[in-house]
Amino acid sequence: AQTVTQSQPEMSVQEAETVTLSCTYDTSESDYYLFWYKQPPSRQMILVIRQEAYKQQNATENRFSVNFQKAAKSFSLKISDSQLGDAAMYFCAYWSYNAGNMLTFGGGTRLMVKP
Amino acid sequence: SAVISQKPSRDICQRGTSLTIQCQVDSQVTMMFWYRQQPGQSLTLIATANQGSEATYESGFVIDKFPISRPNLTFSTLTVSNMSPEDSSIYLCSGCKGAHTEAFFGQGTRLTVV
């Protein structure tokens, strides 16, 4: 079974600084997708960024980028120029065609942004 | 993408009663899912809601406790039956339009059982 691990329950960053959230996963599949979701206090899960495993190029979305290391099964999220609105729970998630068509979530990292 | 309207957003219920949560999607989706999220915890998949047939439940979740309906490609309900305080949690529905390249979520229902 696939597992997703986020080793940082909480992280803190100063406004305008950069922070990296860690995620590792375990799978025997070669073709899969990885995601980072943001969940603010409103509870709405918001897709931040997506990475296809077959793509070597790291995905970027404005201030958000990933460091995808397939061999190491690592998928970290870097947030640049952190803003107060970035404060939220961040979940790493895994999906593959052979994983029952469902997302497997990590335990989450609570990000606090200090003004 | 799509927008999912989930209601109620929160409720306080007496133990022994049942609550039905609804999710309406603004466009057709291939798959819908129901999750439970304990406060401060990650999401746990309850079941996959199948259109026109019985839902597929994950280990630890049973149909008698969490009956699910999905009469069409835009609507699903989850009922939490015979509630106890241990059922107090956030319940979220999710949908996707094919291969799980993007899942979108409802706003969640915060359930408190007293």
Side-chain angles (χ1 to χ4, degrees):
Chain A
Q2 291 77 16
T3 58
V4 179
T5 302
Q6 293 177 248
S7 59
Q8 307 152 318
E10 285 191 359
M11 290 285 285
S12 180
V13 63
Q14 204 73 34
E15 193 175 8
E17 297 293 310
T18 295
V19 64
T20 298
L21 309 184
S22 301
C23 173
T24 59
Y25 58 94
D26 185 26
T27 184
S28 59
E29 303 288 335
S30 59
D31 187 18
Y32 49 87
Y33 293 80
L34 296 163
F35 306 85
W36 279 98
Y37 280 89
K38 170 185 177 181
Q39 187 181 41
S42 67
R43 302 194 303 267
Q44 181 75 57
M45 293 283 284
I46 302 165
L47 178 66
V48 175
I49 201 165
R50 173 178 67 223
Q51 175 79 43
E52 292 90 341
Y54 64 87
K55 290 186 177 180
Q56 293 187 347
Q57 187 174 6
N58 289 324
T60 62
E61 288 288 345
N62 302 314
R63 296 183 296 108
F64 299 88
S65 62
V66 299
N67 183 7
F68 174 48
Q69 301 289 329
K70 190 172 184 179
K73 296 180 182 175
S74 171
F75 182 61
S76 61
L77 174 70
K78 184 172 80 172
I79 306 174
S80 304
D81 186 24
S82 297
Q83 301 175 359
L84 295 177
D86 295 333
M89 283 290 290
Y90 286 82
F91 293 98
C92 179
Y94 168 100
W95 179 88
S96 78
Y97 286 99
N98 296 323
N101 244 351
M102 66 187 72
L103 284 170
T104 301
F105 287 91
T109 297
R110 181 176 301 282
L111 177 66
M112 294 173 285
V113 181
K114 298 178 180 177
Chain B
S1 64
V3 175
I4 300 182
S5 298
Q6 181 173 344
K7 57 182 181 182
S9 60
R10 60 178 63 227
D11 208 342
I12 301 173
C13 301
Q14 297 289 325
R15 68 177 67 200
T17 63
S18 297
L19 175 71
T20 295
I21 303 167
Q22 299 182 359
C23 277
Q24 178 72 54
V25 193
D26 66 351
S27 58
Q28 292 186 348
V29 293
T30 303
M31 305 189 73
M32 291 187 74
F33 306 89
W34 287 96
Y35 292 87
R36 184 171 70 184
Q37 184 180 25
Q38 305 284 10
Q41 302 296 315
S42 187
L43 284 71
T44 300
L45 182 65
I46 296 172
T48 302
N50 300 310
Q51 191 256 331
S53 64
E54 191 172 288
T56 305
Y57 290 84
E58 297 302 304
S59 176
F61 298 97
V62 295
I63 188 172
D64 290 345
K65 177 67 176 178
F66 298 100
I68 288 170
S69 78
R70 191 176 174 203
N72 55 53
L73 294 177
T74 63
F75 185 78
S76 180
T77 67
L78 167 75
T79 299
V80 186
S81 303
N82 188 25
M83 288 183 285
S84 66
E86 291 72 32
D87 295 320
S88 297
S89 190
I90 296 169
Y91 293 85
L92 297 108
C93 64
S94 170
C96 68
K97 292 191 173 185
H100 220 323
T101 54
E102 178 177 351
F104 34 89
F105 290 79
Q107 304 95 319
T109 297
R110 182 182 294 275
L111 170 63
T112 302
V113 184
V114 297

